[in-house]
Amino acid sequence: MATGLTGSGGPDLDEIRKCVHCGICLPQCPTYRVLGEEMDSPRGRIYLMRAAAEGRVGLTETFRRHIDLCLGCRACETACPSGVRFGSLLEATRAQLRRSGPPAKRSLVEAFAFSVFPVPSRLGAALAAFKLYKRSGLRALVRASRVLRKLPSLAAMDALLDDVPAAQPMPDVVPARGRLAGRVGLLTGCVQRHLYPNVNRETARLLSLAGFEVVIPREQGCCGALDLHAGRLDTHAARARALATAFPPDLDFIVTNAAGCGSAMKEYGHRIPELSPFATRVRDVMEVLAGADLRLGPLDLTVTYHDACHLVHGQRVRHEPRRLLGRIPGLRLVELGDSDLCCGSAGVYNLLEPGMARELLDRKVARIVETGVRVVAAANPGCLLQIAWGCRERGLDVSLVHPVELLARAADAYQD
């Protein structure tokens, strides 16, 4: 299967040549919709990749800028009639650029993000420091000083976090209830385990109710998705191998509830052939529960659903979340305009490119306002953080939830 890489580590010219320059991808591309610039579209970026591969242009700062601005949302892949694997080409190109080092303006932010976010213990310590920063009153002083206006990446990081929930340690095994349907492993993730621990707990509970024994390895680490999307391919491979080793080999599925993690894990075999057996068993929780016999009680709610990019475009999971929410009696699902247009989170993109990320967030929140709902569901922690921030800033009385939280409430309603 194509990886997007040549033997020398650059983007695969044969994959690049699949692009027929039809332009169908242009209206699906978030940066093109904002900027209207050809070189900030998938077609334009592929043109640049081909020109660089053929030696017609160098890896200049202008080249880098057009590549940096890409969110890696992969909406172009869904639209592409030729099946171009743009995500793999982007990762290979970023790996090339990385060999010359990140631009100075991003080096400090990148160094922090990639040394902290993919290491759960460090992320936990950083979030504990944030709680102290907030409770001590220092956050209020910093905001009042307006110093963050000169530091947009730090301002975005400060604004994204509203609070840090109490830790919810997970058991090693959650037994199946009722008839045994299988044995699965659960990825607890990095951001998910610290900022949305209830999502992990409810995921395990729903899988148990669906008849699955749930194994939750304590030693599991990061899946490597952030590194992959940034072109840090060696680090990604090391994290991928370590994660695969942490899960027992006899599991039916490895279940994720974070879109970005699941997308990266399903594609492990593209770059690391020995991980193909592991990758073929990865499932998003929406895929698993869509085929399960869950007993759901009524919820009197009106909800809209945001398609996380790496779930809808990376994993091609579009209908399962809607079908599951549609099975909840009394729940009214209102379709969101541009539901599969990126919200601007995109891993750490909202920290590295806060201006573009904010423009996309504003567009997403405007679409949410049009629905008139008070509950927004999204199946990725980055999306939940980003959209919640946008709603807070607009003063909207809107709750952000993972779909499993609604399903868990409906399961409780059935038992009542």
Side-chain angles (χ1 to χ4, degrees):
M1 187 171 290
T3 66
L5 285 167
T6 63
S8 62
D12 187 339
L13 192 52
D14 288 337
E15 188 69 23
I16 288 173
R17 286 172 177 155
K18 287 183 183 179
C19 176
V20 297
H21 309 290
C22 65
I24 291 174
C25 60
L26 268 64
Q28 310 306 319
C29 175
T31 52
Y32 182 78
R33 286 177 66 164
V34 172
L35 300 173
E37 294 287 342
E38 175 71 17
M39 291 305 155
D40 291 313
S41 74
R43 183 173 67 181
R45 291 182 177 112
I46 287 175
Y47 176 84
L48 288 174
M49 293 175 191
R50 180 167 183 169
E54 294 175 345
R56 292 183 284 115
V57 300
L59 302 181
T60 64
E61 284 304 307
T62 299
F63 179 101
R64 181 195 294 272
R65 186 67 192 137
H66 291 303
I67 299 301
D68 281 347
L69 271 175
C70 180
L71 293 111
C73 71
R74 298 172 63 174
C76 52
E77 291 189 22
T78 298
C80 182
S82 301
V84 178
R85 291 175 53 81
F86 183 86
S88 295
L89 293 174
L90 177 67
E91 291 150 9
T93 302
R94 284 180 168 165
Q96 274 191 315
L97 290 168
R98 183 156 295 281
R99 286 193 281 273
S100 63
K105 70 169 188 168
R106 296 177 69 167
S107 59
L108 290 177
V109 177
E110 280 201 359
F112 174 81
F114 288 100
S115 65
V116 173
F117 294 163
V119 183
S121 59
R122 293 178 187 171
L123 180 57
L127 291 172
F130 171 81
K131 291 175 76 171
L132 180 61
Y133 163 71
K134 180 181 178 181
R135 291 175 181 175
S136 68
L138 182 58
R139 186 192 202 189
L141 290 175
V142 169
R143 287 185 166 186
S145 72
R146 300 188 177 184
V147 67
L148 291 176
R149 290 188 175 186
K150 300 178 181 179
L151 303 165
S153 290
L154 291 181
M157 196 179 304
D158 176 79
L160 275 171
L161 283 178
D162 186 39
D163 202 2
V164 178
Q168 295 186 31
M170 299 286 288
D172 294 333
V173 177
V174 177
R177 299 191 194 180
R179 182 179 178 182
L180 183 64
R183 189 166 178 259
V184 301
L186 175 62
L187 180 81
T188 52
C190 302
V191 171
Q192 193 83 293
R193 80 174 72 180
H194 287 297
L195 292 180
Y196 298 101
N198 190 56
V199 172
N200 281 340
R201 183 165 292 279
E202 298 292 32
T203 297
R205 186 164 72 94
L206 286 170
L207 290 168
S208 171
L209 288 170
F212 292 97
E213 179 185 30
V214 186
V215 179
I216 310 170
R218 287 179 181 268
E219 65 274 20
Q220 62 176 289
C222 178
C223 69
L226 286 181
D227 295 294
L228 174 64
H229 301 152
R232 302 162 64 95
L233 302 185
D234 291 341
T235 305
H236 160 70
R239 295 196 197 283
R241 290 188 175 99
L243 183 69
T245 302
F247 285 87
D250 60 344
L251 299 172
D252 296 301
F253 302 121
I254 296 88
V255 180
T256 75
N257 52 27
C261 301
S263 179
M265 291 164 66
K266 286 182 176 181
E267 297 182 353
Y268 277 175
H270 296 177
R271 296 187 180 279
I272 314 165
E274 68 267 27
L275 295 188
S276 290
F278 178 88
T280 58
R281 291 180 292 141
V282 176
R283 300 286 188 279
D284 186 83
V285 64
M286 296 289 101
E287 295 178 281
V288 178
L289 294 179
D293 182 22
L294 275 180
R295 307 298 177 86
L296 303 174
L299 294 180
D300 183 15
L301 287 175
T302 302
V303 179
T304 196
Y305 176 74
H306 159 74
D307 283 288
C309 295
H310 281 90
L311 191 60
V312 67
H313 302 304
Q315 301 184 53
R316 305 299 172 94
V317 175
R318 181 186 297 270
H319 303 296
E320 293 87 344
R322 291 171 170 82
R323 287 172 185 159
L324 281 164
L325 294 175
R327 283 165 52 183
I328 300 175
L331 186 144
R332 298 167 296 282
L333 185 62
V334 178
E335 276 298 322
L336 179 65
D338 288 331
S339 178
D340 58 359
L341 185 70
C342 186
C343 66
S345 175
V348 293
Y349 185 96
N350 50 3
L351 305 183
L352 300 177
E353 300 291 345
M356 178 60 69
R358 185 53 191 260
E359 174 66 32
L360 293 170
L361 175 60
D362 288 345
R363 293 181 179 215
K364 181 64 64 175
V365 173
R367 292 290 178 267
I368 290 170
V369 170
E370 290 171 0
T371 67
V373 304
R374 295 178 63 181
V375 180
V376 178
N380 190 59
C383 301
L384 292 172
L385 279 170
Q386 178 85 343
I387 298 172
W389 166 35
C391 290
R392 283 197 307 272
E393 292 231 322
R394 286 280 295 268
L396 302 179
D397 183 16
V398 172
S399 299
L400 271 292
V401 296
H402 194 289
V404 300
E405 295 178 283
L406 295 175
L407 292 167
R409 288 168 61 182
D412 290 340
Y414 178 84
Q415 293 174 359
D416 293 342

